[in-house]
Amino acid sequence: MNGQFVLLWSDALIWLIAIAALVLGLVSARQPQLAAAWRRVGRSRPGMAAATVLLAFVVVGLADSLHYRPLLAPAAGSSAPVYAVETLSLLDAIAEPLRSRNEKTYSAPLATRAFAKETSEVRDADGSLRQVRDFPRLRFGGAHLGADEDAREADVGARVGKSLALGLAGWAALLVLVTLWLARSEALTVAESSRRIRCGETFFAWNSVLATLGLIVLVAAPLFALCGDYHVFGTDKVGQDVFYQVLKSVRTALVIGLVTTLTTLPLAIFFGLTAGYFRGWVDDLIQYLYTTLNSIPGVLLIAAAVLMMQVLIDTHPEWFATAAERADIRLLALCFILGMTSWTGLCRVLRGETLKLRELEFVQAAQSFGVADLRIIARHILPNVMHIVVIALVMDFSSLVLAEAVLSYVGIGVDPTMISFGTMINNTRLELAREPVVWWSLAAAFTFMFALVLAANLLADAVRDAFDARLAGSS
Amino acid sequence: MFSSRRSLRFSSFLALPALALLLAACGSEWNDPYPAEQRGQNILYSAFTERPKHLDPAQSYTEDEITFTAQIYEPPLQYHYLKRPYTLIPATATAVPVARLYDAEGRELPADAPADRVDHSVYEIRIKPGIRYQPHPAFAVDAGGAPRYADLDRARLAGIDTLSDFAETGSRELSADDYIYQIKRLAHPRLHSPIFGMMAERIVGLKELGATLAAAAKDLPQDGWLDLDRYPLAGVERVDAHTWRVTVRGKYPQFLYWLAMPFFAPIPREADRFYSQPGMAEKNLTLDWYPVGTGPYLLAENNPNSRMVLARNPNFHGETYPCEGEPGDAAAGLLADCGKPLPFIERAIFTREKESVPYWNKFLQGYYDASGISSDSFDQAVRLATGGDVQLTDEMLDKGIKLLTSVRASIFYMGFNMVDPVVGGLSEPARKLRQAISIAIDQEEFISIFMNGRGVPAMGPLPPGIFGYEDGEAGINPVVYRWRDGKERRRPLAEAQQLLAEAGWPNGRNARTGEPLVLYLDTTGGGMGDKSRLDWLTRQFAGLGIQLVVRSTDFNRFQEKLRKSSAQLYYIGWNADYPDPENFLFLLHGAEAKVKSGGENYANYQNAEYDRLFREVKDMDSGPERLVLIRRMLDIVRNDAPWVFGFHPKTYTLGHAWLANRKPTDVGNNILKYQRIDVPRRERLREEWNRPLLWPLAAGGAALLALLVPAVVGYRRRERSAALEKS
Amino acid sequence: MLAYILRRLLYALPILIGVNVITFALFFVVNTPDDMARMQLGVKRVTPEAIAAWKAERGYDKPLFVNTEASGTGLVTDTIFFTQSARMFVGDFGRAEDGRDISREITTRMGPSLAIALPTFVLGLMVTISLALLLAFFRASYLDFWGVVACVALMSISGLFYIIGGQFLISKLWKLVPISGYGGGLDAWKFLLLPVLIGVVSGIGSSTRWYRTIFLEEIGKDYVRTARAKGLAETVILFRHVLRNALIPILTGVVAVIPLLFMGSLLTESFFGVPGLGSYTIDAINAQDFAVVRAMVFIGSALYIVGLLFTDLSYALVDPRIRFDR
């Protein structure tokens, strides 16, 4: 994977979020209250199971957020390196066979032959052409079997068995490692430590994390073992591997879910705190602003803003060196626009909370000592509303992922060349009307999107419970 | 007490769907989307996708609209329903007019005079006497013979919401004045007729009339009426009540085709006057909403959001079913109704159906009488038999569904912007680059994946059925195809790569700098399956080593890019206005160039020789002489390759067994009057196909009960434990 | 109280003006009047003169916000913004770009929208409150736990899947109801059954969970403990006290939504081919019919403000401590 490293804007933001999460973790560890809250999250079994699933998605998403332009083979007569305009990611490089092994059109999961019959011409022994109508053999799906297509079941079974054995062995090793580590750090016998893990009596919900990991191994190992030589989730209308599309969709969903809140967080915090703190005309103005924005029907506002963004992008093609950059900016624009319609909720909550906080004694005391207003906001008020921000961040994630699908359906979502759950669903709309039904694209998109959103919802619940409890404890 | 209220509420939840189902059980078909009283009636059911914007014949120009307007309005001519190639026959006229040609001095010329000697041609149209308009309040007269509704204002319109709220209607005989009135309406400044610009070049005096009317309309209030009878039109002359003449500049044989379009349908002055009264437009009482015509049907209900209803016009002058057609029509049963009076169907109900999935499903359920096939439901409906013949699947055959196919008089193509520095220009390298791309984009594969074979790869701009199109070896595009084994074969990719190398881009890399060749395709995005189409296209270019960048945008922006010629590659299509090669060849005429004159030549293609031939060909009568010139033009464009000639789509229409006399046509649209429905058979089949499945309902109810049981058990347990605590 | 309502309505004026400024600014960045003209006049054979005439006729030949050529008040009044938006405040939405009267269109389309939205809303409220009550009754049991998990699962499914799946199963496979369409009068219920069912089911997850929390909060309050100590049966406590008190936050939270029911649902209406306001909006966006878009935005905003007013009023009605004379 020689090539020129490309840093897309959304990549930068994704990595920024990843780093910010790490920093937040370090900071929380030193603040007793926050640390306690996070520990409560760690104890929540559904929460940690969800976090494990999310982590798997995040790994895929991060691998898809390192982009480069591959080096082209040197042309005759020139020595300067030339890079393709196509931008690939680390995930593309890893999943190269998935990306490049395209069939002609639909094929069912694990199929060796296409889904629809085709007419082909066969030259008979006497040299005359004859048209034959049959299911054509796939170019790549199960190609290693050669003419021996009947061996498919046996081959699939063997691969699944082998990969499961391997995966479970790895999982068992991990289980042993955790048990030993726990035994050592808590000074327990191995038997006791394993009992505690089993019964969930640890400070961290190890049992649910390990169980979820086991589940992920059960699902992922066979997928990886098969995806190299088969299309595990079939192929779509133009013969692209559906499994690959699902993997690519993960990053889009993560960007929409995370970056949206991030880009507008400063706005919500700034306006919310200043409105609540200064009151008077500042408050009136800010209230007017968000009531106005809020009262415009969301879809209309988004539609108009997305169209506007597109005009801007279209009139300045020189801004973008590659199609990926264009799609990326469009994605970011969508994030920003979604954020513009959703920051008002957080802003209102923050304003209310600040109104309450500014009446508290320590703020009043600071004011009477003549501490600068901005300093009070930064030192006293902001830390005390952080839990609301954290809750908003996790709560918004799932609704944003769901919103993307709907917007892409209406035609104002991500760039049509970008793979996302929304574009996948949009493309599969007509497939259910086919006879026989083409179900795999929709089913794959549904399953993965459901897993992602469900995990996000469960984690959000755990986080909210943990942080709300802190609020209850302090007041 | 409270618990009883609760259980009552719960049972009401269960009762609601049950009640609904009981209600439903009255009819045999639960999923019948039409009211029960329509059963057993002679009604044709169809669907429309886009709401018609204009029903005014001076403005309407889209296919969605002509479905309705063609049944209501009657221009002087029409196309023969069965004959192919398309043949003009009289509709309200007594005969198809023959042009009389004159030179600049006004001397009459023979009919075969060369086009450059002809100064103007005169068409004399005679209409049949005794044709009457549909009943309409504009014709209503009082005892004294004065129009009944001539001086309405907002106050008198207070109780009136639709046209049917007017108590009285009337009718009158069609006269030549009505046709003249409509031609004048083409120049009306407020109507923005799409063909005004073009007709102003042709019909003598129309341009001047447009200017006069524009000046007159300036001082007019918003709703004011412009009485067109007060403004003369030099090129149109009334001979008597049933005869009129049009003078057209030069020789213009295509004018006859225009005379078969609703643009030249009659509009009575009374109707225009009637609709121009103050307060009418606010209530949608306009010609756009309630057309007035002499045709076989009248618009009985206009609700473009959900339903349009056409009903038989009681005053229709009568016409009989044709007795001759193409060979094969008799075998197909299309001549069985020969000589019977038209129309057969009482009403036609068009339901708005925006999504293709419900449309298709309702057709299969028998709730639409005919349907097109989208590529996704194709496999279900049609299979290609050995030998390439198209056949219906057994499932469809069992249902008695019939397949109707025809190649449309249209073309889809990918155009190059000829003023672009990379792909444009007539230099040899640029030409070779375009030729290489033309070979590399495998139209056959495109048609097979995305159209399920419902298309014919284009060999040039002319579709089959248009004069100048040639079958077989003579008609192939030698740049892209070779003739082998009695069939055209696409040239191999290696040849394209060779051409590309000769163009200075070996393997898609600049021969000097090694830079990769990047091309930009502009499309309008958001549509269905768009992404897959673009992915496919990118792969075709990648086959040559060319990197394709797709820029998708909304329709307006796309149009703007074409206008400003900032696009490089683009996909676009053209539907014929009338079946004449001129209507396709003009798309490449230099004078039509988009960037220069805002015309229809989106490629901005300009080749002096082609333009010269075009000017010669366009007004010629079709004959061997014309064919020779067209062949030369085709050779030029094939070699220059300003377009990647895409394909001519085929229409596949499915019709149910009970629908008779349906034959697909492209240019003739007044097809409703010929069709016939076997109503009892439709009733029988619908009932057979739509028996509801009841077990899921039962299963659902059982599941709900199964869920309730543990709840009730738990509830009991709690109550008991609470009671225990208390005691 | 009347004075309060009046004042609140006056307060709505600047908001609506702000909304109009935003819509006009956004829309005209996207769409020049030329684009609109071209869209409406069709793409075949359009002349520049026709476009100019079209613009002049509809008043789109003026500047957008500030007319530098006019003097005095004409500076702001002789502009597209002023002429087009001022009359909306008196309920005159003018004609759509295709010449049809918008107010008329809206009144005819309101019926179908409400026919779906209202039953969905009422039924949904009844079903979810009942379910939430059930969960609250069995709180901290397995039924409660799995009920909540089921709720989370239900709300993790995209609304698109509910519609696609529902149509596929109920209409296509089981042939129980028509796939799509809309009929007036008595026939309407046949078409409404499926969209309403789907609307209710897709809302179950989040609402049930939310109401359950409200119930649990209420159950944790002191008076409930007192009542229990008095020996009242659990059901009596739940229905007589908890339900009644919890309904207050639920209903005050819900009244804000009621006016917006008029707007209809974009997805449901376009999937089921219902000629309501939701599909009108979508069509207008697709056709770039600015007159309709701005009318819908205006109405939506006005309804939203009415919803806010409802909320405040309902708070005051249930809580006599809040007074209007502040």
Side-chain angles (χ1 to χ4, degrees):
Chain A
M1 52 166 283
N2 281 328
Q4 184 186 36
F5 179 68
V6 178
L7 187 71
L8 298 177
W9 277 100
S10 59
D11 289 346
L13 287 171
I14 279 270
W15 286 104
L16 196 71
I17 292 176
I19 293 165
L22 279 181
V23 173
L24 188 71
L26 290 177
V27 172
S28 317
R30 278 191 296 164
Q31 270 209 349
Q33 279 183 330
L34 281 177
W38 283 117
R39 263 202 296 281
R40 269 197 296 278
V41 177
R43 258 207 303 277
S44 153
R45 273 184 293 170
M48 286 330 285
T52 316
V53 174
L54 276 182
L55 200 69
F57 278 112
V58 167
V59 169
V60 174
L62 287 182
D64 203 7
S65 298
L66 284 172
H67 286 93
Y68 68 98
R69 284 163 72 170
L71 189 68
L72 291 176
S78 90
S79 55
V82 179
Y83 300 100
V85 277
E86 189 182 29
T87 306
L88 296 180
S89 74
L90 183 63
L91 182 75
D92 294 328
I94 297 170
E96 177 63 26
L98 291 180
R99 190 176 70 86
S100 54
R101 291 188 186 170
N102 290 321
E103 306 295 344
K104 189 174 163 197
T105 180
Y106 290 117
S107 69
L110 300 177
T112 56
R113 286 180 174 264
F115 185 62
K117 283 191 181 172
E118 244 178 56
T119 313
S120 55
E121 286 178 342
V122 179
R123 205 173 272 275
D124 277 345
D126 58 356
S128 66
L129 277 177
R130 192 166 52 91
Q131 287 192 323
V132 180
R133 190 145 177 92
D134 194 16
F135 298 105
R137 186 82 160 77
L138 294 182
R139 243 185 302 170
F140 299 105
H144 64 291
L145 296 173
D148 190 17
E149 284 173 66
D150 295 335
R152 191 189 61 163
E153 275 81 17
D155 182 52
V156 169
R159 280 165 185 250
V160 169
K162 216 195 291 173
S163 65
L164 277 185
L166 223 84
L168 286 180
W171 181 74
L174 188 72
L175 180 69
V176 171
L177 265 175
V178 170
T179 317
L180 288 179
W181 176 80
L182 194 71
R184 230 180 92 187
S185 62
E186 308 259 311
L188 302 166
T189 64
V190 174
E192 171 65 11
S193 130
S194 105
R195 191 195 65 80
R196 282 195 183 179
I197 289 177
R198 209 172 44 244
C199 304
E201 290 173 14
T202 45
F203 73 93
F204 184 78
W206 277 115
N207 58 344
S208 78
V209 169
L210 285 169
T212 318
L213 270 181
L215 215 64
I216 293 177
V217 165
L218 279 184
V219 175
L223 281 182
F224 286 130
L226 292 172
C227 71
D229 290 308
Y230 294 95
H231 301 291
V232 251
F233 291 156
T235 54
D236 71 354
K237 187 164 185 160
V238 282
Q240 289 176 329
D241 194 291
V242 173
F243 183 48
Y244 173 72
Q245 296 186 19
V246 166
L247 288 180
K248 293 291 278 184
S249 303
V250 170
R251 174 178 185 268
T252 317
L254 288 177
V255 171
I256 294 266
L258 293 174
V259 175
T260 301
T261 330
L262 187 81
T263 46
T264 54
L265 214 52
L267 213 62
I269 294 178
F270 177 77
F271 280 131
L273 295 191
T274 40
Y277 185 79
F278 291 108
R279 298 194 298 197
W281 66 268
V282 180
D283 188 20
D284 285 341
L285 195 73
I286 290 170
Q287 275 201 69
Y288 170 73
L289 191 72
Y290 71 63
T291 320
T292 307
L293 267 181
N294 231 5
S295 68
I296 300 178
V299 179
L300 289 178
L301 187 63
I302 293 169
V306 166
L307 287 176
M308 187 191 79
M309 215 58 209
Q310 228 168 302
V311 174
L312 212 68
I313 290 173
D314 284 337
T315 42
H316 299 279
E318 69 278 6
W319 291 354
F320 316 103
T322 61
E325 275 178 40
R326 227 172 79 91
D328 185 66
I329 288 295
R330 169 123 189 228
L331 176 67
L332 275 192
L334 183 69
C335 288
F336 193 74
I337 291 159
L338 276 174
M340 283 311 284
T341 54
S342 66
W343 67 274
T344 52
L346 179 59
C347 183
R348 189 175 12 217
V349 176
L350 287 179
R351 171 182 166 272
E353 192 64 20
T354 315
L355 275 177
K356 256 188 271 172
L357 284 174
R358 78 185 298 284
E359 302 300 329
L360 292 184
E361 283 153 17
F362 62 96
V363 180
Q364 299 280 335
Q367 274 175 335
S368 58
F369 280 122
V371 182
D373 287 334
L374 282 179
R375 207 180 151 78
I376 298 178
I377 292 180
R379 291 297 289 275
H380 296 296
I381 296 189
L382 187 59
N384 281 302
V385 296
M386 254 353 251
H387 65 282
I388 297 180
V389 175
V390 172
I391 292 173
L393 204 85
V394 287
M395 295 291 281
D396 280 349
F397 180 84
S398 51
S399 57
L400 287 169
V401 174
L402 293 178
E404 187 273 328
V406 173
L407 289 179
S408 292
Y409 171 81
V410 182
I412 46 179
V414 296
D415 195 89
T417 57
M418 180 164 249
I419 303 174
S420 79
F421 288 123
T423 47
M424 276 183 83
I425 298 171
N426 194 12
N427 283 336
T428 60
R429 245 156 79 200
L430 287 179
E431 291 173 358
L432 278 187
R434 288 181 83 107
E435 195 85 28
V437 172
V438 174
W439 49 270
W440 46 88
S441 295
L442 192 67
F446 171 79
T447 316
F448 275 73
M449 193 172 163
F450 178 67
L452 177 64
V453 177
L454 183 64
N457 273 330
L458 288 176
L459 183 67
D461 274 5
V463 169
R464 195 194 44 197
D465 289 349
F467 279 79
D468 258 356
R470 170 190 167 275
L471 184 65
S474 65
S475 61
Chain B
M1 175 203 168
F2 281 100
S3 61
S4 72
R5 189 187 289 171
R6 171 161 165 268
S7 63
L8 194 114
R9 183 176 311 174
F10 262 109
S11 59
S12 76
F13 280 140
L14 292 176
L16 251 163
L19 195 75
L21 290 172
L22 270 176
L23 273 169
C26 304
S28 53
E29 301 135 43
W30 292 14
N31 56 358
D32 186 354
Y34 308 114
E37 65 265 20
Q38 283 182 11
R39 295 215 179 137
Q41 291 199 35
N42 186 7
I43 301 176
L44 177 121
Y45 294 101
S46 187
F48 64 106
T49 319
E50 287 296 319
R51 47 182 284 173
K53 277 184 188 163
H54 301 291
L55 296 177
D56 183 334
Q59 287 175 283
S60 155
Y61 201 5
T62 70
E63 282 185 51
D64 314 311
E65 292 155 6
I66 205 150
T67 318
F68 304 105
T69 52
Q71 324 305 331
I72 299 164
Y73 298 112
E74 278 188 311
L77 304 180
Q78 61 182 338
Y79 290 93
H80 193 282
Y81 185 50
L82 301 174
K83 282 189 190 162
R84 301 290 181 274
Y86 295 103
T87 316
L88 284 173
I89 56 167
T92 60
T94 52
V96 177
V98 180
R100 301 170 69 161
L101 309 177
Y102 297 91
D103 67 7
E105 281 80 50
R107 281 174 305 215
E108 188 163 352
L109 299 167
D112 56 352
D116 52 343
R117 280 190 56 203
V118 180
D119 177 69
H120 60 272
S121 13
V122 174
Y123 290 82
E124 182 173 293
I125 297 133
R126 234 189 128 66
I127 51 170
K128 298 171 192 158
I131 296 176
R132 295 184 71 77
Y133 279 102
Q134 67 175 77
H136 193 275
F139 301 122
V141 285
D142 56 20
R148 174 77 181 72
Y149 301 110
D151 49 353
L152 300 176
D153 51 29
R154 283 190 173 75
R156 290 199 206 165
L157 277 173
I160 284 175
D161 274 320
T162 65
L163 203 63
S164 49
D165 291 336
F166 289 100
E168 291 169 45
T169 60
S171 178
R172 75 156 166 79
E173 198 195 337
L174 174 70
S175 89
D177 299 298
D178 303 334
Y179 284 101
I180 298 172
Y181 197 84
Q182 165 67 2
I183 297 179
K184 289 179 179 170
R185 289 183 82 238
L186 296 178
H188 198 298
R190 299 239 169 112
L191 290 177
H192 311 296
S193 177
I195 65 162
F196 170 64
M198 206 187 58
M199 280 300 146
E201 300 293 318
R202 289 293 185 177
I203 299 179
V204 173
L206 197 65
K207 188 178 241 165
E208 294 74 18
L209 178 67
T212 320
L213 289 179
K218 255 201 192 95
D219 314 320
L220 216 62
Q222 179 77 39
D223 287 337
W225 179 47
L226 208 56
D227 184 2
L228 299 178
D229 272 2
R230 284 179 20 220
Y231 301 91
L233 174 55
V236 180
E237 179 192 353
R238 177 187 194 269
V239 180
D240 59 45
H242 296 116
T243 318
W244 47 289
R245 285 194 197 121
V246 190
T247 311
V248 176
R249 282 199 191 91
K251 187 176 177 180
Y252 189 41
Q254 289 89 5
F255 188 66
L256 285 180
Y257 296 121
W258 288 104
L259 285 179
M261 291 165 82
F263 290 115
F264 287 86
I267 289 295
R269 176 173 172 273
E270 294 95 319
D272 199 31
R273 163 92 189 82
F274 173 80
Y275 285 129
S276 309
Q277 299 177 80
M280 285 278 192
E282 287 148 42
K283 305 196 172 212
N284 286 333
L285 294 169
T286 61
L287 202 56
D288 248 351
W289 198 278
Y290 295 106
V292 193
T294 59
Y297 291 94
L298 55 87
L299 189 65
E301 186 184 334
N302 181 352
N303 182 358
N305 308 325
S306 59
R307 195 169 55 222
M308 310 279 284
V309 179
L310 292 174
R312 190 194 189 112
N313 172 11
N315 297 343
F316 183 53
H317 53 88
E319 210 180 330
T320 54
Y321 192 85
C323 290
E324 44 186 308
E326 265 186 302
D329 280 351
L334 284 169
L335 294 176
D337 284 328
C338 161
K340 288 189 185 158
L342 299 178
F344 295 110
I345 292 165
E346 280 298 321
R347 289 162 84 78
I349 296 183
F350 295 79
T351 312
R352 179 145 192 220
E353 205 68 79
K354 278 198 271 186
E355 299 273 330
S356 62
V357 177
Y359 187 175
W360 174 245
N361 281 324
K362 279 187 191 167
F363 168 72
L364 288 185
Q365 293 170 342
Y367 294 125
Y368 290 128
D369 296 322
S371 162
I373 325 173
S374 73
S375 82
D376 285 86
S377 39
F378 188 82
D379 287 344
Q380 189 182 357
V382 175
R383 62 193 159 82
L384 294 156
T386 40
D389 289 338
V390 182
Q391 277 183 0
L392 286 169
T393 54
D394 296 339
E395 192 197 349
M396 298 290 131
L397 287 174
D398 287 348
K399 291 192 154 193
I401 289 171
K402 289 169 293 187
L403 176 71
L404 313 156
T405 64
S406 73
V407 182
R408 298 184 51 127
S410 56
I411 181 169
F412 276 90
Y413 60 90
M414 190 181 86
F416 296 98
N417 181 6
M418 294 296 282
V419 296
D420 184 87
V422 180
V423 298
L426 293 175
S427 68
E428 202 51 34
R431 188 176 291 147
K432 284 196 166 143
L433 171 63
R434 290 194 298 270
Q435 290 178 349
I437 294 173
S438 303
I439 297 174
I441 301 181
D442 189 346
Q443 302 297 342
E444 287 76 15
E445 188 174 301
F446 184 92
I447 294 169
S448 127
I449 295 181
F450 297 100
M451 316 278 298
N452 298 97
R454 288 173 305 159
V456 181
M459 296 292 160
L462 298 180
I466 300 289
F467 181 82
Y469 174 85
E470 285 174 279
D471 253 341
E473 191 172 359
I476 66 164
N477 178 356
V479 172
V480 181
Y481 292 90
R482 249 190 311 215
W483 190 262
R484 211 151 48 86
D485 293 334
K487 203 176 177 306
E488 77 275 5
R489 311 268 157 182
R490 180 166 287 272
R491 289 178 181 269
L493 195 62
E495 277 188 46
Q497 282 160 345
Q498 177 60 33
L499 280 171
L500 193 67
E502 287 167 22
W505 300 93
N507 296 320
R509 308 281 288 278
N510 190 313
R512 271 174 295 119
T513 61
E515 282 287 315
L517 175 55
V518 183
L519 294 182
Y520 298 89
L521 174 79
D522 285 288
T523 65
T524 55
M528 215 143 30
D530 228 350
K531 178 166 167 11
S532 41
R533 222 184 56 202
L534 299 178
D535 288 345
W536 178 85
L537 207 59
T538 314
R539 240 193 285 156
Q540 304 297 306
F541 277 86
L544 283 177
I546 300 176
Q547 319 218 6
L548 182 73
V549 176
V550 177
R551 298 187 290 210
S552 77
T553 174
D554 67 312
F555 188 73
N556 273 338
R557 220 54 51 195
F558 177 66
Q559 288 285 328
E560 188 181 312
K561 277 187 173 172
L562 292 182
R563 245 183 353 262
K564 294 187 180 157
S565 112
S566 57
Q568 200 170 39
L569 308 175
Y570 56 90
Y571 254 100
I572 208 159
W574 176 259
N575 280 332
D577 290 317
Y578 42 81
D580 190 88
E582 181 265 342
N583 200 240
F584 286 91
L585 295 174
F586 92 105
L587 295 172
L588 288 163
H589 184 206
E592 281 277 337
K594 192 85 203 167
V595 66
K596 251 176 36 196
S597 56
E600 298 294 332
N601 179 356
Y602 289 99
N604 300 309
Y605 174 66
Q606 196 145 21
N607 182 313
E609 175 66 6
Y610 180 92
D611 290 353
R612 192 185 63 73
L613 289 168
F614 175 76
R615 281 192 295 276
E616 214 169 311
V617 155
K618 66 173 180 174
D619 295 336
M620 260 174 138
D621 294 313
S622 293
E625 230 179 294
R626 201 179 189 201
L627 186 61
V628 171
L629 295 184
I630 288 178
R631 276 192 191 143
R632 269 168 60 195
M633 293 174 73
L634 292 182
D635 284 344
I636 293 171
V637 285
R638 281 167 184 161
N639 189 44
D640 282 345
W643 295 354
V644 174
F645 303 106
F647 57 92
H648 311 293
K650 277 188 202 166
T651 349
Y652 280 25
T653 311
L654 297 178
H656 278 299
W658 55 76
L659 183 68
N661 300 342
R662 175 107 173 190
K663 179 165 181 171
T665 85
D666 269 335
V667 287
N669 290 291
N670 53 348
I671 54 171
L672 189 57
K673 59 184 174 188
Y674 301 104
Q675 297 175 49
R676 190 168 47 80
I677 288 172
D678 182 349
V679 178
R681 188 166 180 193
R682 174 166 74 185
E683 292 305 302
R684 211 178 56 240
L685 287 174
R686 271 191 189 172
E687 195 177 318
E688 196 179 299
W689 294 342
N690 291 297
R691 301 215 174 99
L693 249 72
L694 290 180
W695 64 264
L697 270 186
L704 211 62
L705 273 180
L707 275 177
L708 273 181
V709 168
V712 171
V713 170
Y715 169 75
R716 287 268 165 79
R717 197 178 299 147
R718 283 229 167 170
E719 286 292 272
R720 212 173 305 135
S721 64
L724 276 176
E725 266 171 39
K726 243 184 282 175
S727 66
Chain C
M1 168 129 167
L2 199 66
Y4 172 79
I5 297 178
L6 268 179
R7 205 170 56 229
R8 283 297 301 262
L9 289 180
L10 272 182
Y11 179 62
L13 273 183
I15 292 181
L16 287 178
I17 294 174
V19 167
N20 271 345
V21 171
I22 294 176
T23 8
F24 274 74
L26 274 182
F27 204 92
F28 279 98
V29 174
V30 182
N31 259 306
T32 61
D34 281 36
D35 290 335
M36 290 160 61
R38 218 166 264 117
M39 196 80 187
Q40 295 308 322
L41 295 174
V43 279
K44 269 181 164 181
R45 310 183 194 274
V46 176
T47 56
E49 296 80 52
I51 289 171
W54 188 92
K55 284 196 301 188
E57 206 178 288
R58 283 166 177 73
Y60 287 130
D61 51 348
K62 294 170 186 163
L64 182 55
F65 285 117
V66 181
N67 190 348
T68 46
E69 280 165 28
S71 56
T73 52
L75 199 67
V76 285
T77 53
D78 197 20
T79 57
I80 297 181
F81 177 71
F82 188 85
T83 49
Q84 307 278 345
S85 78
R87 61 178 190 194
M88 289 208 283
F89 284 92
V90 291
D92 173 15
F93 298 112
R95 306 226 194 123
E97 313 299 4
D98 61 3
R100 289 176 181 171
D101 193 67
I102 295 178
S103 310
R104 209 180 153 75
E105 192 87 353
I106 288 175
T107 41
T108 52
R109 280 174 177 269
M110 215 156 66
S113 276
L114 274 182
I116 288 188
L118 213 59
T120 311
F121 174 73
V122 173
L123 264 183
L125 207 61
M126 278 158 61
V127 169
T128 46
I129 287 182
S130 314
L131 283 177
L133 211 56
L134 199 72
L135 293 184
F137 183 78
F138 292 107
R139 61 190 170 279
S141 72
Y142 269 92
L143 196 77
D144 182 29
F145 178 78
W146 287 110
V148 173
V149 170
C151 283
V152 178
L154 279 179
M155 62 190 265
S156 303
I157 297 173
S158 169
L160 290 170
F161 287 115
Y162 282 111
I163 300 180
I164 295 174
Q167 256 183 343
F168 181 68
L169 279 185
I170 297 178
S171 292
K172 194 183 172 210
L173 285 188
W174 300 340
K175 298 171 190 152
L176 294 176
V177 289
I179 286 177
S180 70
Y182 183 77
L186 281 174
D187 272 321
W189 66 269
K190 204 154 57 170
F191 299 103
L192 297 183
L193 219 55
L194 188 57
V196 168
L197 182 76
I198 288 174
V200 169
V201 170
S202 61
I204 280 182
S206 54
S207 314
T208 305
R209 215 164 64 118
W210 179 35
Y211 299 153
R212 172 184 164 273
T213 351
I214 293 178
F215 283 133
L216 288 187
E217 240 168 57
E218 207 59 36
I219 287 174
K221 282 189 177 159
D222 282 345
Y223 74 92
V224 178
R225 255 175 255 161
T226 323
R228 210 171 279 149
K230 278 201 308 198
L232 285 180
E234 186 67 21
T235 36
V236 179
I237 297 172
L238 209 56
F239 286 102
R240 188 175 293 168
H241 300 292
V242 174
L243 178 60
R244 221 169 52 198
N245 285 310
L247 273 183
I248 292 171
I250 291 177
L251 290 183
T252 46
V254 144
V255 284
V257 187
I258 294 174
L260 289 174
L261 293 180
F262 282 94
M263 296 290 286
S265 150
L266 300 180
L267 276 190
T268 315
E269 284 183 15
S270 60
F271 262 104
F272 287 97
V274 176
L277 287 176
S279 52
Y280 191 40
T281 314
I282 289 270
D283 287 356
I285 293 178
N286 288 336
Q288 314 209 334
D289 193 326
F290 180 50
V292 178
V293 170
R294 71 174 172 234
M296 291 311 292
V297 169
F298 187 84
I299 293 172
S301 314
L303 289 174
Y304 174 83
I305 292 166
V306 173
L308 286 186
L309 184 63
F310 277 6
T311 316
D312 289 356
L313 288 180
S314 63
Y315 271 128
L317 287 180
V318 295
D319 188 350
R321 280 169 302 180
I322 298 177
R323 286 166 50 199
F324 292 114
D325 48 276
R326 186 193 75 90

